């Protein structure tokens, strides 16, 4: 049975009788087409599993910064019947689901280590890690790009950055891939037990790593984070642990999907792939456009604290609201010919919607961009003769989107 993600919160009953209701069947078949069809006449629609969907760029951007539309707290796990355990605590204690002062306390010790300047100093080592991975399989003439590059690069970088041993990578990546299913749509009720077990194991893994770093501090991120947290004395042990867990989750899976997606899109648009290979300065623009065209994260979820007017449609208080970046990034009033993949487009907004807006804007943006750009730069420089076996299928219209398990690419070495 498919879980009706927001159906049981009681927060999303469809008051707006005149609003269209999008069905899973339609959205599964053609999410971009469905959003396009409704966006022009309807700033807001309903989802058959409950909750309001905001479709236009200007509204997604505005509501993403609007304090009347707050974080969803533990509404989501509760809607799945989860009221305790590691999944629940991830929502209860992490910065992502907190607002105001609590959010500030949880986020501030991480702001400096993830700042653009700090991360940019790591670019050379990210590029070396990418080259290293390519060296491992270049002579074979073919590889599963997801398993052997897109999954490995971000996991290695986040392990090195946090100070986790590289030998732990296979263990924590498998746990992360299981745990991120909770943020994806199309979850099956009988999967929750398995996801909870993985979340508990990931919790235990982080707890052990933190204990080891407490007992024997070293020159790494976890040690300095623990020192900063102890000095500030603002976070409980639970809060400390549940700020690190999302870093491992965010640092492992979203970038994996984005690395595979951007390469697949470029290889499916051969002239643009050739341009990137000839002109490395096009890499950042190619990364930006790939994240717009087929985003890794389709949306973020909020709750209305009071009635909120969205272009004439009033969303009542206490409703779950999905801000659809996926729809916003194909909005015709912001992008010229939005359904065309064009790495040279001149209408990209200064702030990329894919990383969210306002206080919750992705803390890992600089790291994700560095990995996506250095990863793509390394592949384009080393293997311009690369080909894609079959087009990559990118599924989903809410939360973290999913890709096929494997993506075969081949070349003449
Ligand atoms: C392409 C890759 C990524 C995408 C598309 C992405 C997307 C997002 C989005 C949309 C948000 C805002 C969520 C909201 O408003 O509710 C967010 C927040 C967050 N991201 Fe990322 N992210 C990516 C990579 C990363 C990486 C590499 C890390 C960690 C190293 C990370 C860690 C986080 C954390 C901790 C938050 C919560 C920030 C807060 O609530 O203040 N993300 N991300």
């Amino acid at each position: 049975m498919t879980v009706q993600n927001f159906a049981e919160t009681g927060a999303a009953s469809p008051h707006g009788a005149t609003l269209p209701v999008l069905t899973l069947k339609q959205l599964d078949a053609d999410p971009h087409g469905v959003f396009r069809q409704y966006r022009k006449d309807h700033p807001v629609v309903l989802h058959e599993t409950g909750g309001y969907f905001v479709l236009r760029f200007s509204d997604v951007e505005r509501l993403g910064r609007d304090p009347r539309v707050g974080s969803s707290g533990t509404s989501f796990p509760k809607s799945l019947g989860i009221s305790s355990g590691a999944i629940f605590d991830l929502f209860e204690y992490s910065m992502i689901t907190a607002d105001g002062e609590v959010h500030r306390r949880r986020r501030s010790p991480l702001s400096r280590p993830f700042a653009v300047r700090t991360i940019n100093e790591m670019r050379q080592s990210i590029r070396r890690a990418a080259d290293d991975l390519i060296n491992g399989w270049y002579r074979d003439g073919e590889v599963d790009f997801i398993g052997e590059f897109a999954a490995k690069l971000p996991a290695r970088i986040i392990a090195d950055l946090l100070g986790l041993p590289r030998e732990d990578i296979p263990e924590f990546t498998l746990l992360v891939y299981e745990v991120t299913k909770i943020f994806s749509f199309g979850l099956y009720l009988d999967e929750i037990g398995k996801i909870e077990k993985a979340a508990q194991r990931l919790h235990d893994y982080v707890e052990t790593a933190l204990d080891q770093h407490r007992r024997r501090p070293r020159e790494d991120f976890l040690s300095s984070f623990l020192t900063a947290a102890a000095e500030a004395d603002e976070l409980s042990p639970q809060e400390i642990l549940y700020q690190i867990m999302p870093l491992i989750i965010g640092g492992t899976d979203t970038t994996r999907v984005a690395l595979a997606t951007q390469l697949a899109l470029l290889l499916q648009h051969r002239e643009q792939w050739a341009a990137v290979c000839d002109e490395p300065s096009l890499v950042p623009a190619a990364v930006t456009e790939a994240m717009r065209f087929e985003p890794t994260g389709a949306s973020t979820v909020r709750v209305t604290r009071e009635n909120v007017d969205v272009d004439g449609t009033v969303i009542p208080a206490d409703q779950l609201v999905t801000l659809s970046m996926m729809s916003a990034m194909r909005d015709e009033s912001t992008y010229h010919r939005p359904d065309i993949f064009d790495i040279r487009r001149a209408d990209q907004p200064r702030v990329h919607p894919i990383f969210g807006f306002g206080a919750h804007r992705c803390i890992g943006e600089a790291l994700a961009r560095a990995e996506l750009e250095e990863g793509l730069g390394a592949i384009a420089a080393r293997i311009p003769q690369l080909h894609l076996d079959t087009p990559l299928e990118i599924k989903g219209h809410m939360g973290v989107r999913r890709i096929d398990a494997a993506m075969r690419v081949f070349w003449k070495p």
Side-chain angles (χ1 to χ4, degrees):
M1 186 190 6
T2 305
V3 167
Q4 303 223 322
N5 272 356
F6 303 138
E8 288 157 38
T9 59
S13 61
H15 298 288
T18 55
L19 297 183
V21 180
L22 306 190
T23 67
L24 278 178
K25 199 168 163 213
Q26 303 174 271
L27 286 162
D28 277 351
D30 178 14
H32 289 300
V34 173
F35 291 143
R36 185 188 319 117
Q37 182 190 337
Y38 289 99
R39 192 170 43 231
K40 189 161 167 291
D41 297 326
H42 301 280
V44 179
V45 292
L46 295 164
H47 194 282
E48 76 167 320
T49 63
Y52 291 76
F53 253 68
V54 176
L55 299 180
R56 293 179 183 161
F57 186 100
S58 55
D59 296 326
V60 168
E61 183 182 34
R62 187 168 51 82
L63 296 185
R65 303 179 203 276
D66 189 335
R68 295 173 305 156
V69 188
S71 292
S72 57
T74 51
S75 316
F76 178 66
K78 282 181 185 154
S79 77
L80 303 175
I82 302 170
S83 54
S84 63
I87 295 174
F88 184 83
D89 287 350
L90 183 58
F91 285 82
E92 174 86 343
Y93 295 112
S94 114
M95 71 179 90
I96 303 178
T97 43
D99 280 328
E101 179 52 20
V102 177
H103 175 258
R104 184 209 59 77
R105 268 197 298 111
R106 293 177 182 173
R107 177 165 170 137
S108 63
L110 297 169
S111 301
R112 198 182 296 166
F114 283 90
V116 178
R117 194 164 0 136
T118 321
I119 295 295
N120 279 348
E121 284 168 10
M122 293 169 52
R123 276 186 179 254
Q124 277 186 352
S125 62
I126 296 175
R127 184 59 169 257
R128 272 198 304 275
D131 280 328
D132 227 34
L133 289 171
I134 297 170
N135 290 340
W137 38 254
Y138 179 76
R139 288 218 188 115
D140 300 342
E142 67 164 86
V143 76
D144 163 26
F145 183 77
I146 296 177
E148 297 304 321
F149 190 87
K152 287 189 172 169
L153 183 64
R156 184 186 289 194
I157 302 302
I158 199 74
D160 289 358
L161 181 95
L162 297 185
L164 304 171
R166 283 196 186 167
E167 332 50 287
D168 293 357
I169 291 175
E171 180 191 348
F172 78 67
T173 48
L174 284 182
L175 297 176
V176 166
Y177 300 152
E178 197 58 41
V179 174
T180 47
K181 287 187 187 158
I182 204 77
F183 303 111
S184 294
F185 202 75
L187 181 66
Y188 288 86
L189 271 181
D190 50 10
E191 285 181 297
I192 290 178
K194 216 169 147 204
I195 299 173
E196 173 60 28
K197 260 193 206 135
Q200 187 57 52
R201 281 181 57 199
L202 193 57
H203 164 280
D204 296 349
Y205 172 76
V206 175
E207 191 171 51
T208 308
L210 288 172
D211 279 350
Q212 286 168 348
H213 280 76
R214 261 189 210 102
R215 268 187 273 116
R216 213 161 45 82
R218 357 188 150 164
E219 292 285 304
D220 63 18
F221 167 88
L222 282 187
S223 302
S224 38
F225 170 70
L226 285 169
T227 309
E231 277 166 10
D233 196 18
E234 288 190 322
L235 298 181
S236 69
Q238 289 280 61
E239 287 179 307
I240 288 180
L241 192 146
Y242 282 104
Q243 305 325 302
I244 300 302
M245 219 162 124
L247 293 181
I248 300 178
I249 297 170
T252 303
D253 199 33
T254 39
T255 320
R256 173 186 76 103
V257 178
L259 274 165
T261 305
Q262 68 184 16
L263 184 67
L265 284 171
L266 284 164
L267 294 178
Q268 285 161 219
H269 295 83
R270 207 68 214 174
E271 174 273 323
Q272 298 189 58
W273 169 248
V276 168
C277 295
D278 285 349
E279 186 41 77
S281 65
L282 284 173
V283 165
V287 168
T288 294
E289 175 64 350
M291 290 194 293
R292 177 195 77 82
F293 194 75
E294 283 299 0
T296 308
S299 57
T300 61
V301 178
R302 296 283 187 272
V303 171
T304 46
R305 305 279 182 239
E306 55 187 83
N307 292 358
V308 176
D309 187 317
V310 184
D311 284 351
T313 301
V314 176
I315 305 182
D318 296 326
Q319 304 297 306
L320 274 162
V321 177
T322 298
L323 304 179
S324 176
M325 283 97 74
M326 186 169 164
S327 169
M329 290 190 292
R330 298 274 187 121
D331 187 337
E332 302 70 4
S333 45
T334 300
Y335 301 94
H336 177 60
R337 299 202 299 160
D339 294 319
I340 305 283
F341 177 75
D342 179 5
I343 63 171
R344 297 180 182 88
R345 64 171 55 249
D347 51 10
Q348 302 281 6
R350 200 181 50 79
V351 173
H352 202 307
I354 186 67
F355 294 108
F357 296 100
H360 288 279
R361 185 158 177 91
C362 179
I363 207 164
E365 173 180 358
L367 179 61
R369 278 187 187 274
E371 290 174 1
L372 293 170
E373 291 175 12
E374 298 305 327
L376 178 61
I379 300 278
R382 297 282 301 280
I383 336 177
Q385 71 280 31
L386 196 62
H387 284 271
L388 183 63
D389 202 6
T390 42
L392 181 71
E393 210 188 327
I394 305 148
K395 298 184 200 122
H397 60 276
M398 282 170 86
V400 181
R401 298 181 74 212
R402 311 304 319 162
I403 51 175
D404 304 332
M407 172 176 144
R408 292 218 75 79
V409 290
F410 60 95
W411 64 94
K412 273 214 175 85

